Amino acid sequence: MATNKGIVYIKPGVVEVQDISYPKLALGDRKCHHGVILKVVATNICGSDQHMVRGRTTAPSGLILGHEITGLVIEKGRDVEFMDIGDLVSVPFNIACGRCRNCKEQQTGICLNVNDERPGAAYGYVDMGGWLGGQSEYVMIPYADFNLLKLPNKDAAMEKIRDLTLLSDILPTGYHGAVTAGVKPGATVYVAGAGPVGLACAASCHLLGAAVVIVGDMIPERLEQARSFGCETVDLRKDATLGEQIEQILGIPEVDCTVDCVGFEAKGHGQNAEEQPATVLNDAMTVTRAGGGIGIPGLYVTGDPGAKTEAAKAGSLSIRIGLGWAKSHHFHTGQCPVMQYNRNLMQAIMHDKIKIAEAVNVQVISLEDGPKGYADFDSGAAKKFVINPHGMEY
């Protein structure tokens, strides 16, 4: 009998590798004729996963984690026409039916048919439809013809698998943040957060032609990683305001665009900073020029049991929206619709226009080392952990 292993959320601070069920081409009691089963080649630990593992969401114990998946098709349903056994594919973290109004308008992050509770679904994530995650050896993917991006030339793709595995979420998400903030050639940009998404966003800003990309964080190793590929940095442990530090770089205390790659677990500035979930959004409105844009790929939740205030526990934050209104800012929130970007970003990777694995410092680990990867990630390591479930050569 075929076996399977996966990383399972147990309780705050604890994940384990456990034996889990081998996937079936089924949705509950009915056959999933439009689905495929993948042998997972690479699956990544995401900062969004860490929110759950820290106990900052309502994720249930027993949840199989993982929404960043690249794999080989090893079985397919009878209605799958355009994917073949042996294809190497990237899986957008958004699960989308391809049939509803939002999918037809390319808003695949808010598909109307894959989650009974609200628009949008994802693999292995709280409140996102109950779909099993892909930090495992094998996983089932529904609506395969619509969802999957085939990586042409399997041998060439495997040579760049450290980069291509980032197409499932982190690179499109960072790119989406930059695009929605209005980054274009010659722009000056502030990227809040030098975690993997922030670094992917900064690399995307360079790809889009930004003149200056400034990255802010409190962890020296992450700031050093941002500088390694040409970013300016600000150390948010300093008592100087963000605007003052930006002025030292640009000569003025403002930028054209800001991207929030931190989200609701943000901390205020200074050496003894405490959690202030609205601080990045308020800083963004302060340092973004009048008429500029703010992209918000950083995660904000409707339920945060670990928040310090009752309002924040329900996702209600003290945002200075009057400032943003007075400066005519535009804001863009929500999940990245990965399929709007992943094919073009694949081409950019294959033709060496972006070295995203270098930018985010990809480190490959085994499935068994996944729990250690979670602990290292949460310590602030300047790394993006990619899990290799089958010990393949790459």
Side-chain angles (χ1 to χ4, degrees):
M1 179 180 292
T3 61
N4 194 16
K5 290 182 180 292
I7 297 178
V8 180
Y9 170 67
I10 305 301
K11 62 181 181 179
V14 180
V15 297
E16 293 180 358
V17 178
Q18 295 185 356
D19 292 324
I20 60 175
S21 298
Y22 187 84
K24 299 178 180 179
L25 289 175
L27 296 172
D29 295 330
R30 62 188 179 90
K31 292 287 289 184
C32 182
H33 294 297
H34 48 69
V36 300
I37 293 174
L38 298 185
K39 177 181 179 179
V40 178
V41 170
T43 178
N44 316 326
I45 296 176
C46 180
S48 298
D49 297 324
Q50 292 289 49
H51 294 305
M52 292 187 290
V53 174
R54 293 185 192 116
R56 297 301 298 268
T57 72
T58 56
S61 178
L63 179 67
I64 300 168
L65 298 169
H67 56 269
E68 301 188 16
I69 307 164
T70 307
L72 291 164
V73 178
I74 60 171
E75 185 179 345
K76 68 176 190 175
R78 72 178 187 199
D79 295 339
V80 178
E81 297 184 70
F82 306 113
M83 296 291 158
D84 293 319
I85 304 299
D87 284 347
L88 180 62
V89 296
S90 176
V91 185
F93 78 89
N94 321 112
I95 302 172
C97 71
R99 298 155 168 81
C100 71
R101 173 182 177 176
N102 287 346
C103 284
K104 290 180 179 181
E105 294 178 356
Q106 292 192 311
Q107 296 297 322
T108 52
I110 45 175
C111 174
L112 301 174
N113 290 329
V114 288
N115 185 345
D116 292 337
E117 302 298 324
R118 69 186 209 192
Y123 304 93
Y125 207 83
V126 59
D127 296 331
M128 296 301 286
W131 298 85
L132 300 182
Q135 286 174 11
S136 56
E137 294 175 318
Y138 302 93
V139 66
M140 195 279 283
I141 306 298
Y143 305 105
D145 280 332
F146 182 70
N147 282 296
L148 297 180
L149 173 66
K150 180 180 176 179
L151 303 177
N153 192 335
K154 189 190 306 181
D155 291 340
M158 285 301 299
E159 291 179 4
K160 292 182 177 290
I161 196 65
R162 294 168 183 251
D163 300 271
L164 293 169
T165 186
L166 305 178
L167 288 174
S168 57
D169 180 359
I170 174 178
L171 178 54
T173 293
Y175 188 85
H176 178 64
V179 168
T180 56
V183 177
K184 58 186 177 182
T188 57
V189 189
Y190 174 62
V191 177
V197 170
L199 295 171
C201 178
S204 298
C205 291
H206 286 150
L207 185 64
L208 289 164
V212 183
V213 181
I214 304 169
V215 179
D217 205 289
M218 297 180 175
I219 300 175
E221 293 79 9
R222 289 184 170 186
L223 294 175
E224 181 179 356
Q225 182 64 24
R227 289 191 292 270
S228 74
F229 61 96
C231 299
E232 301 286 344
T233 60
V234 295
D235 187 341
L236 299 176
R237 296 173 302 170
K238 295 181 178 179
D239 291 329
T241 68
L242 178 58
E244 289 169 344
Q245 293 197 62
I246 288 174
E247 186 171 18
Q248 290 180 345
I249 297 168
L250 297 177
I252 56 174
E254 64 182 20
V255 292
D256 297 319
C257 316
T258 295
V259 189
D260 173 4
C261 297
V262 177
F264 72 104
E265 288 193 71
K267 294 181 178 180
H269 299 182
Q271 289 287 341
N272 300 308
E274 294 185 354
E275 189 168 297
Q276 297 179 24
T279 191
V280 173
L281 297 173
N282 288 325
D283 276 349
M285 289 183 279
T286 300
V287 303
T288 303
R289 68 171 179 84
I294 300 170
I296 311 173
L299 177 66
Y300 291 86
V301 295
T302 56
D304 175 9
K308 294 183 180 297
T309 67
E310 290 303 312
K313 287 180 180 180
S316 296
L317 309 182
S318 297
I319 299 171
R320 195 181 174 194
I321 193 65
L323 176 61
W325 188 93
K327 295 175 77 171
S328 293
H329 288 154
H330 66 263
F331 302 80
H332 195 107
T333 68
Q335 290 185 22
C336 167
V338 170
M339 278 192 276
Q340 286 190 23
Y341 308 110
N342 62 352
R343 185 174 298 278
N344 286 343
L345 290 171
M346 174 188 72
Q347 291 287 85
I349 289 169
M350 295 305 295
H351 294 280
D352 296 322
K353 299 302 181 184
I354 186 169
K355 302 286 189 179
I356 190 61
E358 292 180 9
V360 305
N361 195 19
V362 160
Q363 302 291 307
V364 179
I365 61 176
S366 68
L367 184 66
E368 288 72 20
D369 284 337
K372 183 177 184 301
Y374 270 91
D376 288 347
F377 189 118
D378 210 30
S379 71
K383 300 175 182 178
K384 173 67 172 178
F385 290 103
V386 172
I387 296 170
N388 179 358
H390 295 278
M392 301 178 72
E393 292 289 333
Y394 62 80

